[in-house]
Amino acid sequence: MGYADLHIHTIYSYDGTSSVEAVLKYVAEYTDLDVIAITDHDCITGALKAQDLAPAYGIEVIPGVEVSTSDGHVLALYIEQPVPAGLSLIETALRVGELGGLCIAAHPMAAGTSSLDFKTIHAALEHAEVRRILVGVERFNGGLVYTRRNPWVEAMASALPLAQVGNSDAHVLRMIGQGATYFPGTTAAELRHALEQATTEVRKGHGLGGVEVLRDFIPRYLLRKMGWVVHNSGPHAPLRLARMSQALQNPMLGSAHGAHM
């Protein structure tokens, strides 16, 4: 049995505070995770970089994107090409399916961020092809203050005919794994099978509370705005603060894969 965190952000997200290398270093040395997914906002560049670097850190990475659909955010996993933002949930799921990927409904009904509602999810699942692609729902999200322990949301998510998933939605390193998915196996391929068969379970972590926002996220976010992020220069090097490149400091610049930060 293994653990996965399928919702992690890097500096390729406008609000991420750690480089791809730093995320890999932290996961390898400070968590019990077997598999992770990098899911930056509407950008796949960091995920593909993480997939290339992951063997050196001894972990498996699923490339993905947190896609901003017109209905709310959805995690697109097991894809290696970007998916356009702004499409409906159904259109997005079909695009992800064409790329060989799977979708997970991210933080449904969450306040303060663009989220799917359960009516939209149910409507999408009436589409036969979408049912094959939209396979999971984020029942626990450790990164959203005040919403992650909403018992009504958890009950509604549990009632869906989907794999039940826990994720961190980490934007700072110490959040990674504070919300995870328990699955039969230890590999990305075995995790995919578990998602498709809905045999996953949720592990709830400490999550991000008001104190953690003030202590951890806001200082890191302000440093990010000034061009400083947590970085790692190699598997055997320590984590440290480093300056971002000018390209990553400017969110208006496109990535090499045509997606924005």
Side-chain angles (χ1 to χ4, degrees), residues 3 20-21 23-36 49-62 186-188 232 234-236:
Y3 287 108
V20 168
E21 295 89 344
V23 168
L24 296 176
K25 173 74 171 181
Y26 186 87
V27 170
E29 292 201 1
Y30 299 101
T31 78
D32 60 355
L33 298 169
D34 300 286
V35 179
I36 64 167
K49 181 178 182 180
Q51 188 181 38
D52 289 341
L53 294 175
Y57 289 85
I59 59 176
E60 271 199 89
V61 171
I62 297 168
T186 57
T187 69
N232 173 247
H236 303 294

Side-chain angles (χ1 to χ4, degrees), residues 2-6 75 77 103-105 108 118 121-122 125 134-141 150-167 179-184 191 193-204:
Y3 287 108
D5 186 348
L6 303 175
L75 303 178
L77 305 176
C103 287
I104 292 174
F118 288 107
I121 297 172
H122 279 288
L125 292 174
L134 180 58
V135 297
V137 58
E138 206 170 65
R139 199 177 84 199
F140 178 83
N141 179 299
N150 186 320
W152 180 81
V153 170
E154 185 168 346
M156 292 291 288
S158 299
L160 288 169
L162 299 173
Q164 303 295 296
V165 173
N167 288 323
T181 300
Y182 190 48
F183 67 99
L191 173 58
H193 181 73
L195 291 169
E196 292 172 329
Q197 299 299 311
T199 56
T200 57
E201 298 178 17
V202 172
R203 180 175 74 173
K204 297 181 181 181

Side-chain angles (χ1 to χ4, degrees), residues 209-216:
V211 172
E212 288 81 11
V213 170
L214 293 172
R215 184 189 66 199
D216 299 319

Side-chain angles (χ1 to χ4, degrees), residues 34-50:
D34 300 286
V35 179
I36 64 167
I38 300 297
T39 53
D40 287 307
H41 295 294
D42 300 313
C43 179
I44 200 167
T45 307
L48 297 180
K49 181 178 182 180

